[in-house]
Amino acid sequence: MAIPVEMGVYSSQNLLSWSTIRISLLVAVLCAMLGAAPVWAACLLFAVSGYALLWLFSPLTTIMIAALTSIAVLSFVKPRLGAASALAALAALAANNMQNNLTSSNIVGMIIM
């Protein structure tokens, strides 16, 4: 529920593009599917939220929370896959920050990783 609420706030300020809105809705659906198919939904959620964080202008902090949730679910269900996804996220955030795209969500993500 946090993703549509945050999207509504940012949309009222004209800060979201259509691609960000579509990706955010996809992330919300994948979060809802975590209970039914945790491994596949978590892998897809990790990929989609990682894409949104690294290559889209996404001011949504719930996207970072979704990425961290997918890593947590993967770590619980498949520990090696969770560790690999955490290392991949840390490497991607570090590489992204070397291009001077340092945002508060990237800093928080790197600290948690």
Side-chain angles (χ1 to χ4, degrees), residues 48-107:
V48 170
S49 58
Y51 172 78
L53 286 172
L54 296 176
W55 288 286
L56 289 180
F57 170 69
S58 178
L60 301 174
T61 55
T62 50
I63 300 289
M64 174 58 84
I65 294 169
L68 295 174
T69 301
S70 68
I71 292 171
V73 169
L74 284 174
S75 296
F76 181 73
V77 178
K78 303 269 186 185
R80 289 184 184 179
L81 190 57
S85 62
L87 289 175
L90 179 62
L93 287 173
N96 191 33
N97 290 333
M98 288 185 174
Q99 300 171 357
N100 296 326
N101 293 335
L102 194 61
T103 63
S104 60
S105 62
N106 286 352
I107 293 171

Short mmCIF file of all heavy atoms in Angstrom, two decimals, residues 48-107:
data_model
loop_
_atom_site.label_atom_id
_atom_site.label_comp_id
_atom_site.label_asym_id
_atom_site.label_seq_id
_atom_site.Cartn_x
_atom_site.Cartn_y
_atom_site.Cartn_z
N VAL A 48 13.63 -5.93 -10.92
CA VAL A 48 12.84 -4.75 -11.32
C VAL A 48 13.16 -3.55 -10.43
O VAL A 48 13.36 -2.44 -10.92
CB VAL A 48 11.33 -5.08 -11.28
CG1 VAL A 48 10.49 -3.84 -11.45
CG2 VAL A 48 10.99 -6.09 -12.36
N SER A 49 13.24 -3.77 -9.13
CA SER A 49 13.53 -2.64 -8.24
C SER A 49 14.97 -2.16 -8.41
O SER A 49 15.24 -0.97 -8.32
CB SER A 49 13.24 -3.00 -6.79
OG SER A 49 14.00 -4.13 -6.39
N GLY A 50 15.88 -3.08 -8.69
CA GLY A 50 17.26 -2.67 -8.98
C GLY A 50 17.35 -1.83 -10.23
O GLY A 50 18.05 -0.82 -10.27
N TYR A 51 16.62 -2.24 -11.26
CA TYR A 51 16.57 -1.44 -12.49
C TYR A 51 16.00 -0.05 -12.21
O TYR A 51 16.54 0.96 -12.67
CB TYR A 51 15.71 -2.15 -13.54
CG TYR A 51 15.43 -1.31 -14.75
CD1 TYR A 51 16.39 -1.15 -15.74
CD2 TYR A 51 14.21 -0.68 -14.91
CE1 TYR A 51 16.15 -0.37 -16.86
CE2 TYR A 51 13.95 0.10 -16.02
CZ TYR A 51 14.92 0.25 -16.99
OH TYR A 51 14.67 1.03 -18.08
N ALA A 52 14.93 0.00 -11.43
CA ALA A 52 14.30 1.29 -11.12
C ALA A 52 15.23 2.19 -10.32
O ALA A 52 15.29 3.40 -10.56
CB ALA A 52 13.00 1.07 -10.36
N LEU A 53 15.97 1.61 -9.40
CA LEU A 53 16.86 2.42 -8.57
C LEU A 53 18.06 2.92 -9.34
O LEU A 53 18.52 4.04 -9.12
CB LEU A 53 17.34 1.60 -7.37
CG LEU A 53 16.33 1.38 -6.27
CD1 LEU A 53 16.88 0.40 -5.25
CD2 LEU A 53 15.98 2.69 -5.60
N LEU A 54 18.59 2.11 -10.24
CA LEU A 54 19.84 2.48 -10.89
C LEU A 54 19.67 3.27 -12.17
O LEU A 54 20.48 4.13 -12.48
CB LEU A 54 20.66 1.22 -11.17
CG LEU A 54 21.12 0.46 -9.94
CD1 LEU A 54 21.85 -0.81 -10.34
CD2 LEU A 54 21.99 1.32 -9.06
N TRP A 55 18.61 2.99 -12.94
CA TRP A 55 18.54 3.59 -14.27
C TRP A 55 17.32 4.46 -14.53
O TRP A 55 17.18 5.00 -15.61
CB TRP A 55 18.64 2.52 -15.34
CG TRP A 55 20.02 1.98 -15.41
CD1 TRP A 55 21.10 2.60 -15.94
CD2 TRP A 55 20.48 0.72 -14.91
NE1 TRP A 55 22.22 1.81 -15.79
CE2 TRP A 55 21.87 0.64 -15.16
CE3 TRP A 55 19.87 -0.34 -14.26
CZ2 TRP A 55 22.64 -0.45 -14.81
CZ3 TRP A 55 20.64 -1.43 -13.90
CH2 TRP A 55 22.00 -1.47 -14.19
N LEU A 56 16.44 4.59 -13.57
CA LEU A 56 15.30 5.49 -13.72
C LEU A 56 15.41 6.62 -12.71
O LEU A 56 15.99 6.45 -11.66
CB LEU A 56 13.97 4.75 -13.48
CG LEU A 56 13.51 3.76 -14.52
CD1 LEU A 56 12.18 3.16 -14.08
CD2 LEU A 56 13.35 4.41 -15.87
N PHE A 57 14.82 7.75 -13.05
CA PHE A 57 14.70 8.79 -12.03
C PHE A 57 13.54 8.38 -11.14
O PHE A 57 12.39 8.52 -11.50
CB PHE A 57 14.43 10.15 -12.66
CG PHE A 57 14.07 11.19 -11.64
CD1 PHE A 57 15.02 11.64 -10.74
CD2 PHE A 57 12.79 11.69 -11.54
CE1 PHE A 57 14.71 12.58 -9.79
CE2 PHE A 57 12.46 12.62 -10.58
CZ PHE A 57 13.42 13.08 -9.70
N SER A 58 13.87 7.81 -10.01
CA SER A 58 12.84 7.30 -9.12
C SER A 58 13.03 7.88 -7.73
O SER A 58 13.89 7.44 -6.98
CB SER A 58 12.92 5.78 -9.06
OG SER A 58 11.98 5.27 -8.17
N PRO A 59 12.24 8.88 -7.36
CA PRO A 59 12.37 9.44 -6.02
C PRO A 59 11.71 8.58 -4.95
O PRO A 59 11.71 8.94 -3.79
CB PRO A 59 11.66 10.79 -6.14
CG PRO A 59 10.62 10.56 -7.17
CD PRO A 59 11.23 9.58 -8.15
N LEU A 60 11.15 7.45 -5.33
CA LEU A 60 10.39 6.63 -4.39
C LEU A 60 11.31 5.86 -3.46
O LEU A 60 12.09 5.02 -3.91
CB LEU A 60 9.49 5.66 -5.15
CG LEU A 60 8.48 6.29 -6.10
CD1 LEU A 60 7.77 5.22 -6.90
CD2 LEU A 60 7.48 7.11 -5.33
N THR A 61 11.22 6.11 -2.17
CA THR A 61 12.02 5.35 -1.22
C THR A 61 11.45 3.95 -1.02
O THR A 61 12.16 3.06 -0.57
CB THR A 61 12.08 6.08 0.14
OG1 THR A 61 10.75 6.33 0.58
CG2 THR A 61 12.82 7.38 0.02
N THR A 62 10.17 3.76 -1.36
CA THR A 62 9.58 2.42 -1.22
C THR A 62 10.20 1.44 -2.22
O THR A 62 10.18 0.24 -1.98
CB THR A 62 8.06 2.47 -1.41
OG1 THR A 62 7.76 3.19 -2.60
CG2 THR A 62 7.40 3.13 -0.24
N ILE A 63 10.76 1.94 -3.31
CA ILE A 63 11.45 1.05 -4.25
C ILE A 63 12.69 0.46 -3.58
O ILE A 63 12.98 -0.72 -3.72
CB ILE A 63 11.81 1.81 -5.55
CG1 ILE A 63 10.57 2.35 -6.24
CG2 ILE A 63 12.61 0.93 -6.48
CD1 ILE A 63 9.69 1.30 -6.87
N MET A 64 13.42 1.27 -2.84
CA MET A 64 14.58 0.76 -2.11
C MET A 64 14.14 -0.24 -1.05
O MET A 64 14.77 -1.27 -0.85
CB MET A 64 15.36 1.91 -1.47
CG MET A 64 16.50 1.45 -0.57
SD MET A 64 17.74 0.41 -1.36
CE MET A 64 18.78 1.64 -2.08
N ILE A 65 13.04 0.05 -0.37
CA ILE A 65 12.53 -0.88 0.64
C ILE A 65 12.13 -2.20 -0.02
O ILE A 65 12.38 -3.28 0.53
CB ILE A 65 11.36 -0.24 1.41
CG1 ILE A 65 11.86 0.95 2.23
CG2 ILE A 65 10.67 -1.26 2.31
CD1 ILE A 65 10.77 1.80 2.82
N ALA A 66 11.54 -2.14 -1.21
CA ALA A 66 11.17 -3.36 -1.93
C ALA A 66 12.41 -4.16 -2.32
O ALA A 66 12.41 -5.39 -2.22
CB ALA A 66 10.35 -3.02 -3.17
N ALA A 67 13.46 -3.47 -2.74
CA ALA A 67 14.70 -4.17 -3.09
C ALA A 67 15.29 -4.87 -1.86
O ALA A 67 15.73 -6.02 -1.93
CB ALA A 67 15.71 -3.20 -3.69
N LEU A 68 15.29 -4.17 -0.74
CA LEU A 68 15.81 -4.78 0.49
C LEU A 68 14.93 -5.92 0.97
O LEU A 68 15.43 -6.92 1.50
CB LEU A 68 15.95 -3.71 1.57
CG LEU A 68 16.99 -2.62 1.27
CD1 LEU A 68 16.94 -1.54 2.33
CD2 LEU A 68 18.36 -3.22 1.16
N THR A 69 13.61 -5.80 0.76
CA THR A 69 12.70 -6.88 1.12
C THR A 69 12.96 -8.12 0.27
O THR A 69 12.95 -9.25 0.79
CB THR A 69 11.24 -6.42 0.96
OG1 THR A 69 11.02 -5.29 1.79
CG2 THR A 69 10.26 -7.52 1.32
N SER A 70 13.22 -7.91 -1.01
CA SER A 70 13.51 -9.07 -1.87
C SER A 70 14.79 -9.76 -1.44
O SER A 70 14.86 -11.00 -1.44
CB SER A 70 13.60 -8.64 -3.34
OG SER A 70 14.74 -7.83 -3.56
N ILE A 71 15.80 -9.00 -1.04
CA ILE A 71 17.04 -9.60 -0.55
C ILE A 71 16.78 -10.35 0.76
O ILE A 71 17.30 -11.46 0.96
CB ILE A 71 18.13 -8.53 -0.37
CG1 ILE A 71 18.55 -7.99 -1.74
CG2 ILE A 71 19.34 -9.09 0.36
CD1 ILE A 71 19.45 -6.79 -1.68
N ALA A 72 15.95 -9.79 1.62
CA ALA A 72 15.63 -10.46 2.89
C ALA A 72 14.89 -11.77 2.65
O ALA A 72 15.19 -12.78 3.29
CB ALA A 72 14.80 -9.53 3.77
N VAL A 73 13.92 -11.77 1.73
CA VAL A 73 13.17 -12.99 1.44
C VAL A 73 14.09 -14.04 0.82
O VAL A 73 14.04 -15.22 1.20
CB VAL A 73 11.97 -12.68 0.52
CG1 VAL A 73 11.34 -13.95 -0.02
CG2 VAL A 73 10.93 -11.86 1.27
N LEU A 74 14.94 -13.61 -0.11
CA LEU A 74 15.88 -14.56 -0.72
C LEU A 74 16.84 -15.11 0.32
O LEU A 74 17.19 -16.30 0.29
CB LEU A 74 16.65 -13.90 -1.86
CG LEU A 74 15.87 -13.70 -3.16
CD1 LEU A 74 16.69 -12.90 -4.15
CD2 LEU A 74 15.46 -15.03 -3.75
N SER A 75 17.28 -14.28 1.25
CA SER A 75 18.20 -14.74 2.29
C SER A 75 17.54 -15.75 3.22
O SER A 75 18.19 -16.66 3.72
CB SER A 75 18.71 -13.55 3.11
OG SER A 75 19.45 -12.69 2.30
N PHE A 76 16.24 -15.60 3.43
CA PHE A 76 15.52 -16.53 4.30
C PHE A 76 15.24 -17.85 3.58
O PHE A 76 15.43 -18.92 4.15
CB PHE A 76 14.21 -15.90 4.76
CG PHE A 76 13.41 -16.78 5.67
CD1 PHE A 76 13.82 -16.98 6.97
CD2 PHE A 76 12.27 -17.41 5.22
CE1 PHE A 76 13.10 -17.79 7.82
CE2 PHE A 76 11.54 -18.23 6.06
CZ PHE A 76 11.95 -18.42 7.36
N VAL A 77 14.82 -17.77 2.31
CA VAL A 77 14.44 -18.97 1.57
C VAL A 77 15.65 -19.70 1.00
O VAL A 77 15.78 -20.91 1.13
CB VAL A 77 13.43 -18.61 0.46
CG1 VAL A 77 13.05 -19.83 -0.36
CG2 VAL A 77 12.19 -17.97 1.05
N LYS A 78 16.53 -18.95 0.36
CA LYS A 78 17.75 -19.51 -0.26
C LYS A 78 18.93 -18.66 0.18
O LYS A 78 19.23 -17.64 -0.44
CB LYS A 78 17.65 -19.49 -1.79
CG LYS A 78 16.47 -20.21 -2.37
CD LYS A 78 16.82 -21.63 -2.65
CE LYS A 78 15.65 -22.29 -3.37
NZ LYS A 78 15.87 -23.67 -3.57
N PRO A 79 19.62 -19.03 1.26
CA PRO A 79 20.67 -18.16 1.82
C PRO A 79 21.78 -17.80 0.83
O PRO A 79 22.23 -16.67 0.81
CB PRO A 79 21.22 -18.98 2.99
CG PRO A 79 20.10 -19.88 3.39
CD PRO A 79 19.38 -20.19 2.11
N ARG A 80 22.20 -18.73 0.00
CA ARG A 80 23.28 -18.42 -0.95
C ARG A 80 22.80 -17.43 -2.01
O ARG A 80 23.55 -16.53 -2.40
CB ARG A 80 23.79 -19.69 -1.61
CG ARG A 80 24.56 -20.54 -0.65
CD ARG A 80 25.14 -21.75 -1.32
NE ARG A 80 25.81 -22.57 -0.32
CZ ARG A 80 26.39 -23.70 -0.57
NH1 ARG A 80 26.38 -24.18 -1.80
NH2 ARG A 80 26.98 -24.38 0.39
N LEU A 81 21.58 -17.59 -2.47
CA LEU A 81 21.03 -16.66 -3.44
C LEU A 81 20.83 -15.28 -2.82
O LEU A 81 21.06 -14.25 -3.46
CB LEU A 81 19.71 -17.19 -3.99
CG LEU A 81 19.09 -16.48 -5.19
CD1 LEU A 81 20.06 -16.44 -6.36
CD2 LEU A 81 17.80 -17.16 -5.60
N GLY A 82 20.45 -15.24 -1.55
CA GLY A 82 20.31 -13.97 -0.84
C GLY A 82 21.65 -13.26 -0.69
O GLY A 82 21.74 -12.04 -0.88
N ALA A 83 22.68 -14.02 -0.34
CA ALA A 83 24.02 -13.43 -0.21
C ALA A 83 24.52 -12.92 -1.55
O ALA A 83 25.11 -11.83 -1.63
CB ALA A 83 24.98 -14.45 0.37
N ALA A 84 24.28 -13.69 -2.61
CA ALA A 84 24.71 -13.26 -3.94
C ALA A 84 23.97 -12.00 -4.38
O ALA A 84 24.57 -11.09 -4.97
CB ALA A 84 24.49 -14.39 -4.95
N SER A 85 22.68 -11.92 -4.08
CA SER A 85 21.92 -10.72 -4.47
C SER A 85 22.36 -9.51 -3.66
O SER A 85 22.42 -8.39 -4.18
CB SER A 85 20.42 -10.96 -4.33
OG SER A 85 20.08 -11.22 -3.00
N ALA A 86 22.69 -9.70 -2.39
CA ALA A 86 23.19 -8.59 -1.57
C ALA A 86 24.52 -8.08 -2.09
O ALA A 86 24.75 -6.86 -2.18
CB ALA A 86 23.31 -9.01 -0.11
N LEU A 87 25.41 -8.99 -2.47
CA LEU A 87 26.70 -8.58 -3.03
C LEU A 87 26.52 -7.89 -4.39
O LEU A 87 27.21 -6.91 -4.69
CB LEU A 87 27.63 -9.79 -3.17
CG LEU A 87 28.16 -10.35 -1.85
CD1 LEU A 87 28.98 -11.61 -2.11
CD2 LEU A 87 28.99 -9.31 -1.12
N ALA A 88 25.60 -8.40 -5.20
CA ALA A 88 25.34 -7.77 -6.50
C ALA A 88 24.76 -6.37 -6.32
O ALA A 88 25.13 -5.43 -7.03
CB ALA A 88 24.38 -8.63 -7.32
N ALA A 89 23.87 -6.21 -5.34
CA ALA A 89 23.30 -4.89 -5.07
C ALA A 89 24.36 -3.92 -4.57
O ALA A 89 24.39 -2.76 -4.99
CB ALA A 89 22.16 -5.01 -4.06
N LEU A 90 25.22 -4.39 -3.70
CA LEU A 90 26.29 -3.52 -3.20
C LEU A 90 27.22 -3.10 -4.33
O LEU A 90 27.59 -1.93 -4.44
CB LEU A 90 27.07 -4.23 -2.10
CG LEU A 90 28.24 -3.45 -1.51
CD1 LEU A 90 27.76 -2.17 -0.85
CD2 LEU A 90 29.00 -4.31 -0.51
N ALA A 91 27.58 -4.04 -5.20
CA ALA A 91 28.46 -3.71 -6.32
C ALA A 91 27.78 -2.75 -7.29
O ALA A 91 28.41 -1.80 -7.79
CB ALA A 91 28.86 -4.99 -7.06
N ALA A 92 26.50 -2.96 -7.55
CA ALA A 92 25.78 -2.06 -8.46
C ALA A 92 25.65 -0.66 -7.88
O ALA A 92 25.82 0.34 -8.60
CB ALA A 92 24.40 -2.63 -8.78
N LEU A 93 25.35 -0.56 -6.58
CA LEU A 93 25.25 0.76 -5.95
C LEU A 93 26.60 1.46 -5.93
O LEU A 93 26.68 2.67 -6.17
CB LEU A 93 24.69 0.63 -4.54
CG LEU A 93 23.22 0.31 -4.42
CD1 LEU A 93 22.86 0.05 -2.96
CD2 LEU A 93 22.37 1.43 -4.97
N ALA A 94 27.67 0.72 -5.66
CA ALA A 94 29.00 1.32 -5.65
C ALA A 94 29.39 1.81 -7.04
O ALA A 94 29.93 2.90 -7.19
CB ALA A 94 30.02 0.32 -5.12
N ALA A 95 29.11 1.00 -8.07
CA ALA A 95 29.43 1.42 -9.44
C ALA A 95 28.58 2.62 -9.84
O ALA A 95 29.07 3.53 -10.52
CB ALA A 95 29.20 0.26 -10.39
N ASN A 96 27.34 2.65 -9.43
CA ASN A 96 26.45 3.76 -9.76
C ASN A 96 26.90 5.05 -9.07
O ASN A 96 26.82 6.12 -9.65
CB ASN A 96 25.01 3.43 -9.37
CG ASN A 96 24.03 4.42 -9.93
OD1 ASN A 96 24.22 4.97 -11.01
ND2 ASN A 96 22.97 4.67 -9.20
N ASN A 97 27.38 4.93 -7.85
CA ASN A 97 27.80 6.11 -7.11
C ASN A 97 29.12 6.67 -7.62
O ASN A 97 29.43 7.82 -7.37
CB ASN A 97 27.89 5.80 -5.62
CG ASN A 97 26.52 5.61 -5.02
OD1 ASN A 97 25.55 6.15 -5.52
ND2 ASN A 97 26.44 4.83 -3.97
N MET A 98 29.89 5.87 -8.32
CA MET A 98 31.13 6.37 -8.91
C MET A 98 30.83 7.32 -10.07
O MET A 98 31.69 8.08 -10.48
CB MET A 98 32.01 5.22 -9.38
CG MET A 98 32.64 4.47 -8.26
SD MET A 98 33.77 3.26 -8.90
CE MET A 98 34.46 2.67 -7.39
N GLN A 99 29.62 7.28 -10.59
CA GLN A 99 29.22 8.17 -11.68
C GLN A 99 28.57 9.44 -11.13
O GLN A 99 27.88 10.15 -11.84
CB GLN A 99 28.24 7.46 -12.61
CG GLN A 99 28.81 6.23 -13.25
CD GLN A 99 27.74 5.44 -13.98
OE1 GLN A 99 26.57 5.78 -13.96
NE2 GLN A 99 28.16 4.38 -14.63
N ASN A 100 28.77 9.71 -9.83
CA ASN A 100 28.23 10.90 -9.15
C ASN A 100 26.71 10.94 -9.15
O ASN A 100 26.11 11.99 -9.26
CB ASN A 100 28.79 12.19 -9.77
CG ASN A 100 30.27 12.30 -9.57
OD1 ASN A 100 30.79 11.86 -8.56
ND2 ASN A 100 30.96 12.88 -10.53
N ASN A 101 26.06 9.78 -9.05
CA ASN A 101 24.61 9.70 -8.92
C ASN A 101 24.23 9.38 -7.49
O ASN A 101 23.31 8.63 -7.23
CB ASN A 101 24.04 8.62 -9.85
CG ASN A 101 24.21 8.98 -11.30
OD1 ASN A 101 24.30 10.15 -11.64
ND2 ASN A 101 24.25 7.98 -12.15
N LEU A 102 24.95 9.94 -6.55
CA LEU A 102 24.75 9.62 -5.15
C LEU A 102 23.43 10.20 -4.66
O LEU A 102 23.23 11.40 -4.67
CB LEU A 102 25.91 10.17 -4.33
CG LEU A 102 26.06 9.65 -2.92
CD1 LEU A 102 26.30 8.16 -2.93
CD2 LEU A 102 27.22 10.35 -2.24
N THR A 103 22.52 9.32 -4.27
CA THR A 103 21.25 9.75 -3.71
C THR A 103 21.13 9.20 -2.29
O THR A 103 21.88 8.31 -1.90
CB THR A 103 20.06 9.25 -4.54
OG1 THR A 103 20.06 7.82 -4.52
CG2 THR A 103 20.14 9.74 -5.98
N SER A 104 20.19 9.73 -1.54
CA SER A 104 20.03 9.28 -0.16
C SER A 104 19.64 7.81 -0.10
O SER A 104 20.08 7.07 0.78
CB SER A 104 19.01 10.14 0.56
OG SER A 104 17.76 10.05 -0.09
N SER A 105 18.81 7.35 -1.05
CA SER A 105 18.42 5.94 -1.02
C SER A 105 19.61 5.04 -1.34
O SER A 105 19.74 3.95 -0.79
CB SER A 105 17.28 5.67 -2.00
OG SER A 105 17.68 5.95 -3.32
N ASN A 106 20.52 5.48 -2.22
CA ASN A 106 21.71 4.69 -2.51
C ASN A 106 22.64 4.62 -1.30
O ASN A 106 23.25 3.59 -1.03
CB ASN A 106 22.46 5.26 -3.71
CG ASN A 106 21.78 4.99 -5.01
OD1 ASN A 106 20.81 4.24 -5.07
ND2 ASN A 106 22.24 5.59 -6.07
N ILE A 107 22.76 5.72 -0.57
CA ILE A 107 23.60 5.73 0.62
C ILE A 107 23.03 4.77 1.66
O ILE A 107 23.77 3.96 2.24
CB ILE A 107 23.71 7.16 1.20
CG1 ILE A 107 24.50 8.04 0.22
CG2 ILE A 107 24.39 7.14 2.56
CD1 ILE A 107 24.47 9.51 0.60
#
